[in-house]
Amino acid sequence: MGFRLTLRNLNKIGLSPFAKEVYKVVSGIPLGEVRSYKWVAKKIGHPKAYRAVGQALKNNPWPLLVPCHRVIESSGELGDYIFGKKNKKKILDLERQIKDLVL
DNA sequence: ATCATGACTAATG
DNA sequence: CCATTAGCCATGA
């Protein structure tokens, strides 16, 4: 079966320092807002590794918890998503609605 | 160490 | 806007 969500188990999953930084930064993107892959890359001190950022997010062990749906292309296009672009947009729309209603 | 792969980007036509 | 292309870099085989 699945594994329990504990710090010990999280440490078992060998995440590269790079990936960790990516998840850390992405987790800081506010609800309903978006940033580009390039923005994330620059933020973690690897300004030219924007493509690798995509790799890291593709392997995101906790989609939804680490809001990889808030990372889009610098052109404004949505970019890919593990659950499909449609859902990526859907989730972002919901987040904006919630933000309007509650906050 | 080398090589291919991609949730990318910017430039060009 | 669309298609093509060179550049880019962490990652896994």
Side-chain angles (χ1 to χ4, degrees), chain A residues 2-15 61-62:
Chain A
F3 68 108
R4 296 198 307 148
L5 188 57
T6 64
L7 288 177
R8 186 224 286 268
N9 282 330
L10 293 188
N11 286 327
K12 280 186 186 174
I13 303 177
L15 293 175
W62 314 284

Side-chain angles (χ1 to χ4, degrees), chain A residues 25-26 28-30 34-45 47 50 53 72 74:
Chain A
V25 168
V26 170
I29 303 175
V34 296
R35 299 290 187 279
S36 70
Y37 293 93
K38 189 178 185 181
W39 181 91
V40 175
K42 181 185 293 184
K43 200 78 173 173
I44 64 178
Y50 37 82
V53 167
I72 68 176
S74 62

Side-chain angles (χ1 to χ4, degrees), chain A residues 61-74:
Chain A
W62 314 284
L64 295 182
L65 298 187
V66 174
C68 48
H69 55 277
R70 297 178 192 153
V71 184
I72 68 176
E73 297 181 359
S74 62

